[in-house]
Amino acid sequence: QVQLVESGGGLVQAGGSLRLSCVASGIIFSLTDIAWYRQAPKQQREMVANILSGSITNYADSVKGRFTISKDNAKNTNYLQMNNLKSEDTAVYYCYVKHRINRREYWGQGTQVTVSS
């Protein structure tokens, strides 16, 4: 059974930083593509950043230069470092993992990030 457990969310002032973590169990992490999504109230879920094929990173335009996604296969953990946070970054952030071979997808439970202006 695959489980994703996120942590690191919270309340931060604009301009501050947070680091989200997502620990995976029940899956070989090196065989996965990973991503972070977010969903603000009354908005659709959107992709924030991803790592494909182990090393190719992509970012939403709104977070480029501020957020960094990374992956530690030895720890089965991926991270989203968020710097210079803005009020519009306020959302529930979700960890997403997709197995590159069997194509199964998994979501974490979400962690709330609130940025006060």
Side-chain angles (χ1 to χ4, degrees), residues 2 24-32 71 73 76 97 99-100:
V2 176
S25 59
I27 194 167
I28 300 174
F29 211 54
S30 60
L31 297 180
T32 63
K71 186 183 185 190
N73 288 332
N76 265 28
V97 168
H99 197 286
R100 288 204 297 272

Side-chain angles (χ1 to χ4, degrees), residues 29-37 47 49-59 69-71 96-100 103:
F29 211 54
S30 60
L31 297 180
T32 63
D33 292 333
I34 62 166
W36 286 92
Y37 284 74
M47 195 276 288
N50 65 22
I51 299 180
L52 305 179
S53 301
S55 61
I56 302 171
T57 58
N58 298 283
Y59 295 92
I69 189 171
S70 60
K71 186 183 185 190
Y96 166 88
V97 168
K98 184 175 185 177
H99 197 286
R100 288 204 297 272
R103 315 304 287 173

Side-chain angles (χ1 to χ4, degrees), residues 14 30 34 45 54 68 71 85 91 93 95 98 112:
S30 60
I34 62 166
R45 191 172 295 190
T68 303
K71 186 183 185 190
L85 283 160
Y93 284 71
C95 175
K98 184 175 185 177
Q112 177 71 46

Side-chain angles (χ1 to χ4, degrees), residues 37-48 60 62-63 86-94 107:
Y37 284 74
R38 68 185 180 187
Q39 188 167 19
K42 301 182 180 180
Q43 295 189 21
Q44 289 190 331
R45 191 172 295 190
E46 63 172 352
M47 195 276 288
V48 175
S62 59
V63 307
K86 304 176 180 180
S87 57
E88 52 262 43
D89 296 318
T90 295
V92 178
Y93 284 71
Y94 296 91
W107 291 90

